[in-house]
Amino acid sequence: MGEGQFQVGESHLNRLNELDDELLKAVESGDGGRFKAALDALLGAVKEFGSPLPDESLEPSDLILPDAEATIDEVREMLRTEGDGLIPGLPN
């Protein structure tokens, strides 16, 4: 959210799911420091493994991630909506 769109290949979904699991555990624990580290790691991996789409391109998105400034409560609400994590495609 707020960072534009990235295209990430399926070969990186396992790593993104691992990071998503860490984020889920951090939210469940209520540990703000652990949450921030997990969110930063997930967003960083998307930027590392993904290719940014041009700003003028508007493609359908498989997922929407919170921005780096999201609070633990905002992410908790997103997780309630999404179910077992934010990254679709593989079981967590």
Side-chain angles (χ1 to χ4, degrees):
M1 295 171 64
E3 294 272 341
Q5 290 184 295
F6 288 80
Q7 184 171 0
V8 179
E10 287 187 33
S11 62
H12 299 291
L13 285 180
N14 281 332
R15 180 64 182 139
L16 293 180
N17 267 297
E18 290 171 3
L19 294 169
D20 189 34
D21 286 344
E22 287 301 314
L23 181 62
L24 180 61
K25 290 174 188 172
V27 169
E28 289 172 349
S29 76
D31 181 330
R34 182 177 175 192
F35 162 75
K36 181 67 175 147
L39 180 59
D40 288 348
L42 178 58
L43 296 176
V46 169
K47 290 176 185 174
E48 177 183 348
F49 301 136
S51 302
L53 296 177
D55 289 339
E56 61 276 0
S57 174
L58 185 58
E59 303 293 324
S61 294
D62 290 333
L63 61 110
I64 298 175
L65 295 177
D67 67 44
E69 301 304 315
T71 67
I72 196 167
D73 289 330
E74 291 168 336
V75 173
R76 185 177 288 120
E77 186 58 35
M78 287 182 79
L79 289 167
R80 280 191 194 119
T81 302
E82 295 299 321
D84 290 333
L86 297 172
I87 307 295
L90 297 173
N92 290 329

